[in-house]
Amino acid sequence: MDTVFRDVRVVDGSGGPPYRADVALADGRIAEIHREADGGRRPGGARLVDGQGLALAPGFIDMHAHSDLALLRDPAHEAKAAQGVTLEVLGQDGLSYAPVDDRTLAEVRVQITGWNGGAPGDTSVDFDWRTVGAYLDRLDHGFGGEGIALNAAYLVPQGTVRMLAVGWDDREATAGELARMKQLVAEGLAQGAAGMSSGLTYTPGMYARDAELTELCRVVARYGGYYCPHHRSYGAGALAAYAEMIALTREAGCALHLAHATLNFGVNEGRAPELLALLDDALDAGADLSLDSYPYTPGCTTLAAMLPSWAGEGGPEAVLARLRDEATAARIRHAMEVAGADGCHGVPISWDTIEISGVCDPALAGFIGKTVARSAAERGEEPWATARRLLLDDRLGPTILQHVGHEDNVRRIMRHRVHTGGSDGILQGRKPHPRAYGTFPRYLGTYVRELGVLSLEECVAHLTGRPAARLRLADRGLVREGYRADLVLFDPETVAAGATFDAPRTLPRGIPHVLIDGRFVIEDGRRTQVLAGRSVRRTAPGRG
């Protein structure tokens, strides 16, 4: 054996009770599990690791990650590796970097620079791909061909597909445009994507009508993938938006995974039981349904995402032109502050809940860590004037924390039988949301050990076996002989998120070892130089 973990507490990802065992690894896989009660000769190996006091679990799967460029820019990627994450699902919220042409790539780089960096002029990543398959190849051969920090799966982003086939117009697609979108989705799935995502409060994906989305989901279903929508509202129309996605995928015969399934804003306080009843009714009727969430109340996105959808028509340059025009800017302000813009989920925006977490222009760093309302008061101006100035001066770049969540909703949703973990972690900005560095240890430390919302075995199943089943990974997500040795060892008594809102880039504690394919990515609490990550393609031989 290459490595043997002696006397570990195995939490195997199935939800079953933990047990004591020696776990032996060979050639990147779990070769032998020798339970305490088995008797006989214990496995030996080239390296013996004392697991006394440690739990051994499958590596955690981040079902909603925004590491699309971070995995190509940062070989260490400690934000996720140190949490015990061994697989991330990219291409989220309908916006990412494949499939594209030159025009679309330039536009999407501007639109989501607040999520990922990569704005025009940023040379930290060579955007030398245009297709899904070429992007996945790039992940496989990152950093001089060695690979990347963690494994990564990809979702075809429906908003980018619409940008490529239709453009930025708020209208129904023509028959030819719909055919082109279906072709692009099919090509992405054939090249290894796990499914398709949407961002239905983000332009231009939000311009798609249900009939269009249904047709795309039929393609996803034919390839055995799943649909992952950021649906049309998490605020005033949240429950109706969840119901819309359930009905749409049912008609298409497509599996559904609800992205960052939250209920935010004052209108939804205490309404988690209504959402859970809706989900249970769908499951009981035969729906193939799952969801993910992060264990925090504030959300995180870009400031530009709060704008009304009509302001985004035509793309980033058109948005900036509208913001410069006084009359149009006044219309935008009314939509946001009075009517409740669809970008802000139909709820009038409260500027004292919008905290600037990052900017692209260093000259604007003084706004970071303050709400728009506070910065406006310091400047002696209306909050809208401050927000507008930031959007223009930073060319739509600011990221925000939006403090609109409810703890009771968070706890109730995370206990649901189809729940999985997703960080929705945006790694950009000087003061990012701590979920990027803390989601998985926070589940284990806060919601298992301290609050008892989940048992240890339940929580690990939410973070491992259940997401692996959604991704249809035949040899990941469980501690089983023959499975890939993507593993995490943690101390259930000390594991905790180090990241806070004041110090969001602090690494967790209580996670000494993380392995991918049997190779130590984290060893004795320190990041190694191992780059064992590769793309995990739905159709790739030997890669799940």
Side-chain angles (χ1 to χ4, degrees):
M1 301 298 177
D2 300 325
T3 303
V4 177
F5 294 103
R6 286 271 195 235
D7 195 29
V8 289
R9 180 183 178 188
V10 177
V11 189
D12 68 4
S14 70
Y19 58 87
R20 310 296 303 188
D22 296 343
V23 177
L25 316 180
D27 299 324
R29 293 187 178 270
I30 300 171
E32 182 179 351
I33 301 173
H34 186 276
R35 298 192 183 220
E36 187 176 49
D38 288 346
R41 184 175 180 180
R42 302 172 76 175
R47 177 175 181 183
L48 300 180
V49 178
D50 182 6
Q52 183 68 38
L54 298 179
L56 181 145
F60 303 137
I61 298 176
D62 189 341
M63 287 296 287
H64 192 106
H66 288 284
S67 302
D68 306 47
L69 300 184
L71 281 166
L72 295 171
R73 184 188 295 118
D74 176 14
H77 199 44
E78 283 187 285
K80 296 298 182 67
Q83 293 185 61
V85 173
T86 57
L87 171 61
E88 298 183 275
V89 185
L90 314 177
Q92 298 289 351
D93 295 325
L95 292 166
S96 191
Y97 306 97
V100 292
D101 58 14
D102 291 349
R103 170 190 63 82
T104 304
L105 177 60
E107 291 171 343
V108 78
R109 285 179 68 177
V110 171
Q111 186 180 15
I112 57 175
T113 185
W115 291 356
N116 299 312
D122 181 347
T123 60
S124 62
V125 173
D126 181 8
F127 290 85
D128 58 355
W129 65 85
R130 294 296 181 269
T131 67
V132 170
Y135 173 70
L136 297 177
D137 287 344
R138 181 64 190 284
L139 294 176
D140 286 338
H141 300 98
F143 302 104
E146 290 188 65
I148 50 177
L150 310 178
N151 295 314
Y154 189 75
L155 301 173
V156 179
Q158 171 261 329
T160 304
V161 166
R162 197 173 213 273
M163 197 185 306
L164 182 55
V166 181
W168 292 82
D169 296 339
D170 183 0
R171 60 172 175 82
E172 291 187 23
T174 67
E177 289 165 344
L178 179 57
R180 175 65 172 144
M181 286 189 282
K182 291 169 70 174
Q183 178 187 7
L184 289 166
V185 172
E187 289 173 353
L189 291 161
Q191 292 163 10
M196 181 180 76
S197 75
S198 283
L200 299 178
T201 65
Y202 300 128
T203 58
M206 69 190 304
Y207 299 145
R209 280 57 167 178
D210 281 3
E212 178 181 314
L213 295 171
T214 300
E215 287 303 304
L216 297 181
C217 283
R218 292 189 201 280
V219 176
V220 176
R222 285 202 303 271
Y223 281 84
Y226 69 92
Y227 180 42
C228 180
H230 163 126
H231 51 272
R232 297 192 193 274
S233 176
Y234 290 84
L239 290 171
Y242 282 112
E244 176 192 15
M245 294 298 102
I246 291 170
L248 184 156
T249 49
R250 188 173 198 175
E251 181 178 348
C254 184
L256 173 64
H257 180 84
L258 296 164
H260 38 59
T262 58
L263 281 169
N264 291 334
F265 303 92
V267 295
N268 289 317
E269 186 172 5
R271 299 190 73 185
E274 296 175 61
L275 171 60
L276 301 181
L278 176 68
L279 301 179
D280 285 335
D281 288 346
L283 287 163
D284 292 344
D288 184 355
L289 169 65
S290 55
L291 58 91
D292 65 67
S293 75
Y294 47 82
Y296 297 87
T297 51
C300 179
T301 186
T302 63
L303 182 59
M306 299 290 101
L307 300 174
S309 58
W310 58 262
E313 193 170 4
E317 292 305 322
V319 177
L320 292 166
R322 291 186 180 100
L323 287 167
R324 292 187 194 102
D325 180 77
E326 293 296 336
T328 309
R331 287 182 58 210
I332 293 172
R333 177 181 184 177
H334 183 272
M336 295 178 72
E337 294 186 344
V338 180
D342 47 5
C344 194
H345 308 277
V347 178
I349 198 164
S350 297
W351 293 112
D352 59 354
T353 68
I354 305 298
E355 177 186 353
I356 303 300
S357 60
V359 293
C360 296
D361 184 349
L364 301 172
F367 291 95
I368 296 173
K370 301 176 184 177
T371 65
V372 172
R374 177 182 168 188
S375 288
E378 290 175 354
R379 300 173 69 88
E381 62 187 11
E382 293 294 317
W384 166 246
T386 300
R388 181 187 178 195
R389 183 192 313 276
L390 275 168
L391 288 165
L392 286 169
D393 290 353
D394 208 37
R395 292 185 55 78
L396 311 182
T399 52
I400 63 169
L401 302 182
Q402 191 171 21
H403 297 271
V404 293
H406 306 286
E407 179 66 21
D408 183 65
N409 286 349
V410 169
R411 295 188 191 188
R412 287 178 180 269
I413 290 169
M414 75 170 61
R415 295 186 65 181
H416 195 266
R417 53 181 160 144
V418 297
H419 171 268
T420 67
S423 70
D424 197 11
I426 294 175
L427 300 167
Q428 290 297 113
R430 197 179 73 190
K431 194 174 182 289
H433 197 302
R435 68 194 185 193
Y437 284 72
T439 287
F440 295 87
R442 181 170 167 84
Y443 269 119
L444 295 167
T446 300
Y447 289 94
V448 171
R449 184 180 64 247
E450 296 177 7
L451 300 176
V453 175
L454 295 167
S455 70
L456 181 62
E457 57 267 31
E458 286 176 322
C459 185
V460 169
H462 287 219
L463 307 181
T464 61
R466 194 174 293 167
R470 165 51 70 216
L471 292 164
R472 300 189 177 182
L473 303 178
D475 59 356
R476 287 184 171 88
L478 298 172
V479 179
R480 294 281 191 275
E481 291 180 355
Y483 274 56
R484 289 185 177 275
D486 293 356
L487 301 168
V488 55
L489 285 92
F490 62 93
D491 183 345
E493 299 303 317
T494 64
V495 63
T500 65
F501 286 97
D502 290 331
R505 295 186 186 276
T506 307
L507 297 178
R509 55 185 178 273
I511 304 178
H513 302 301
V514 181
L515 298 91
I516 295 177
D517 275 358
R519 301 170 67 191
F520 283 84
V521 174
I522 300 290
E523 186 174 13
D524 296 324
R526 298 182 183 87
R527 179 69 171 95
T528 70
Q529 294 183 336
V530 168
L531 296 171
R534 300 292 186 273
S535 68
V536 175
R537 309 189 194 208
R538 188 187 48 81
T539 57
R543 294 301 302 175

